[in-house]
Amino acid sequence: MHHKSQTGGVYAVVAQLVEHWLPKPRVAGSSPVYRSKKGMEGVSMLLMTLIIVAVLFIGFVLMSTEQMHHINRATVAMVCGVVAWVIYLLNGEDFVMLMHQGDYEAFLAGGESSVDSLKYFVAEKVLAGYVAEACSVILFLIATNTILEVLHNNGVFDVLIDWLRMRNSRRFLWVISLLTFAISANVDNLTTVVLMMSIISQIVRNHHQRVVYACTIMVSACLGGCFTAIGDITSVMLWVRGAITPSAYAAGLFLPAFASLCVFNLLIGMKLHGRVEVFSVLSRYDGDDSYLSAWQKVTLLILGIAGLWFIPSFHYITKLPPFLGSLSVLALIWAVEGLFNLERDGNVILVQRHYFRNTEFIGMRLILYFIGISLGVGAFAECGALDFVGNWLETHINNVYIYGVGLGALSSIMDNVPLMMAGMNLFHVDSVAGSEFAQNGIYWQLLSFCCACGGSLMFVGSLAGQAVLEVENIRFRWYIRHYLWRALVAWLVGLLVFWLTH
């Protein structure tokens, strides 16, 4: 009898712990199934949630330390995403009843719940939503990156190499930085960084100078990508999810991002002395790979820029997903490019330059990595863990600036893409106008800005930083000693500007 009484006491303590930990249901009007779970059922849900969290945490660490163990981060992301959903299914009915009780009952249409019906519901109604969201972003990125590929393969950017051959080191810094900032606002950060690295590698001969400019390109790309709805993977996700609108988003983040860029350039300019050592002879391949005349290149460039700017207008007018606008712009540019290249014996065959042979592989890895991250964060959200964290933050902290700075600090040591996606799922878009979490609320803007700045503090925090590290073989300690404090000061100044303007 004494043994049974002691066991019952432990049992009661565990049940109370589970009841305290389990979050409120997401769906309004649904019964608090999670909180009503008693005994081993509640413990099982808690255990499965902790296992999912552990799997994803280990995955985030492995992705952030790719340079040490050389395991492709896309591989880690995909494995973690699949494993997390398999673990989710082990306790799927309880999770579904918490997050989607009304939808699941409608799916059953009065029938009895079974293992098969549960699996079909998870596959068709729960998992499919995260896959569709990820694919919408990926199609958008494929279209915009292909637009840049068409322009590059037709020699549109060759004129930049001649124009950027300047000797003044500080002037070159500002020109490269502002150009990267502008391009990254229209194309994703990684593609922008690889393009600009390809350009400066054909201009700057001195390796130390090239490293300085490469680090500046990385920071400029992160800042430029964060202030437009089409400039980064995560900002595209915010737009697709309905958390932001392009005009209000850009208006709210341009000044903080530009202020950070200017401060960073001023701090870097202080250490630049002498002249830029440029190649005396252009090293790029300049054979018969570009048949277009100057006016044709300018036409393609104007179509490309105008088309990218038209995509938000297309979405506003039609309310169709943004990737449809990017696909229509790509189709137009491809048609014009085909007309310009009719002289190639009827074959529109572009010479694949070394630059885009590299970025095609990087792009495929990026796509698979993004899908894996979307699956992992989706499982994290569907087990209720993010709801619990969000509820706890609102109850005990309730300050969006602390949320943003905290996630930004974490993104300096862990990849900013999964952290940004987790931050998106912490809170839901509020329908109350003027709320910090409403559409175009300051939380969404602050989240994007802080994760961009945090990701540029150290190389491990962003894909763009990883690309720069690999291309120029930059030592991690050297970057920490010379660039970390400058990027941190720029971030703090940007935060001050954000606070003053909001």
Side-chain angles (χ1 to χ4, degrees):
M1 291 295 294
H2 178 72
H3 176 72
K4 285 186 178 181
S5 175
Q6 188 178 36
T7 304
V10 174
Y11 179 84
V13 170
V14 172
Q16 290 176 5
L17 176 63
V18 171
E19 183 177 356
H20 173 73
W21 180 86
L22 294 174
K24 297 177 181 179
R26 176 184 299 179
V27 181
S30 60
S31 60
V33 178
Y34 224 16
R35 288 187 177 275
S36 66
K37 290 295 177 182
K38 302 296 182 181
M40 293 307 298
E41 291 183 358
V43 174
S44 175
M45 295 178 72
L46 175 58
L47 178 62
M48 292 302 170
T49 300
L50 291 177
I51 293 175
I52 291 174
V53 171
V55 168
L56 296 179
F57 178 76
I58 294 172
F60 290 169
V61 172
L62 289 175
M63 286 183 282
S64 300
T65 56
E66 180 183 3
Q67 297 299 320
M68 299 180 183
H69 50 71
H70 303 292
I71 300 176
N72 192 320
R73 67 176 58 203
T75 302
V76 177
M78 289 185 293
V79 170
C80 288
V82 173
V83 170
W85 277 101
V86 171
I87 297 172
Y88 171 89
L89 275 179
L90 296 178
N91 215 81
E93 184 174 4
D94 293 329
F95 289 138
V96 166
M97 292 301 289
L98 166 70
M99 311 300 284
H100 306 279
Q101 181 181 356
D103 293 337
Y104 186 48
E105 291 174 351
F107 179 80
L108 293 175
E112 292 293 328
S113 176
S114 65
V115 175
D116 288 339
S117 65
L118 176 68
K119 291 179 179 179
Y120 281 123
F121 178 80
V122 171
E124 297 174 10
K125 302 297 182 180
V126 181
L127 180 60
Y130 292 96
V131 174
E133 186 178 57
C135 290
S136 179
V137 175
I138 288 169
L139 287 172
F140 181 89
L141 293 175
I142 290 175
T144 54
N145 289 348
T146 306
I147 291 172
L148 192 66
E149 178 181 357
V150 172
L151 298 181
H152 181 271
N153 282 334
N154 283 280
V156 172
F157 297 113
D158 286 349
V159 66
L160 291 177
I161 299 176
D162 296 324
W163 178 61
L164 291 173
R165 286 171 55 83
M166 54 187 68
R167 297 284 187 173
N168 189 301
S169 58
R170 293 182 180 177
R171 181 187 174 194
F172 184 75
L173 171 76
W174 279 92
V175 171
I176 282 289
S177 178
L178 291 174
L179 184 61
T180 304
F181 185 79
I183 295 176
S184 183
N186 297 280
V187 188
D188 75 274
N189 299 346
L190 181 60
T191 303
T192 301
V193 164
V194 176
L195 172 65
M196 296 305 297
M197 291 290 293
S198 174
I199 290 175
I200 67 167
S201 67
Q202 300 178 63
I203 299 174
V204 183
R205 183 177 60 185
N206 183 282
H207 179 260
H208 176 72
Q209 290 182 335
R210 195 163 59 246
V211 166
V212 172
Y213 295 127
C215 294
T216 304
I217 286 173
M218 185 265 290
V219 175
S220 302
C222 290
L223 290 172
C226 79
F227 88 91
T228 65
I230 62 175
D232 188 54
I233 297 175
T234 51
S235 58
V236 174
M237 281 203 69
L238 285 173
W239 185 22
V240 169
R241 190 168 293 187
I244 62 171
T245 57
S247 299
Y249 182 75
L253 280 182
F254 174 75
L255 284 179
F258 188 71
S260 295
L261 178 74
C262 292
V263 170
F264 184 79
N265 285 350
L266 289 172
L267 294 175
I268 295 298
M270 294 170 58
K271 65 176 293 184
L272 291 179
H273 303 285
R275 297 164 66 84
V276 181
E277 296 183 23
V278 300
F279 286 105
S280 57
V281 179
L282 295 181
S283 61
R284 73 177 188 274
Y285 175 74
D286 198 22
D288 294 331
D289 61 336
S290 179
Y291 286 82
L292 304 188
S293 62
W295 75 267
Q296 290 174 325
K297 293 179 181 179
V298 171
T299 301
L300 282 178
L301 180 61
I302 293 175
L303 283 176
I305 295 175
L308 291 171
W309 289 353
F310 170 74
I311 294 172
S313 300
F314 175 88
H315 174 69
Y316 177 78
I317 295 171
T318 64
K319 307 304 180 186
L320 293 172
F323 74 86
L324 291 178
S326 61
L327 290 176
S328 62
V329 173
L330 172 61
L332 173 63
I333 292 177
W334 252 338
V336 174
E337 182 267 343
L339 293 175
F340 287 166
N341 287 281
L342 288 178
E343 296 180 0
R344 298 188 182 186
D345 297 326
N347 297 317
V348 184
I349 303 175
L350 300 179
V351 173
Q352 294 297 313
R353 300 184 182 189
H354 181 67
Y355 163 76
F356 274 104
R357 282 201 298 271
N358 286 339
T359 54
E360 283 173 359
F361 176 63
I362 293 173
M364 183 54 65
R365 287 196 302 177
L366 176 61
I367 289 171
L368 296 175
Y369 166 74
F370 184 74
I371 292 177
I373 289 296
S374 299
L375 293 176
V377 175
F380 193 26
E382 290 298 328
C383 69
L386 285 177
D387 275 1
F388 167 74
V389 175
N391 292 335
W392 187 91
L393 289 174
E394 285 190 291
T395 303
H396 296 86
I397 298 179
N398 195 27
N399 188 308
V400 292
Y401 285 91
I402 296 179
Y403 306 158
V405 172
L407 287 169
L410 286 175
S411 68
S412 66
I413 57 176
M414 299 178 68
D415 199 316
N416 62 354
V417 173
L419 284 170
M420 178 76 178
M421 293 178 66
M424 293 179 197
N425 287 279
L426 276 176
F427 306 98
H428 305 289
V429 180
D430 198 339
S431 59
V432 179
S435 168
E436 295 171 332
F437 304 101
Q439 188 180 60
N440 297 318
I442 64 172
Y443 172 74
W444 311 113
Q445 299 178 23
L446 188 65
L447 176 67
S448 181
F449 177 72
C450 288
C451 286
C453 290
S456 63
L457 289 180
M458 291 187 282
F459 284 112
V460 297
S462 68
L463 293 171
Q466 293 283 349
V468 171
L469 183 67
E470 292 178 6
V471 172
E472 292 297 340
N473 194 25
I474 300 174
R475 290 178 298 175
F476 184 73
R477 291 183 179 178
W478 180 89
Y479 180 86
I480 296 299
R481 186 169 64 251
H482 293 281
Y483 277 82
L484 175 60
W485 71 270
R486 291 179 169 90
L488 181 59
V489 171
W491 179 19
L492 295 177
V493 172
L495 275 176
L496 177 61
V497 174
F498 184 91
W499 180 74
L500 292 173
T501 54
H502 289 75

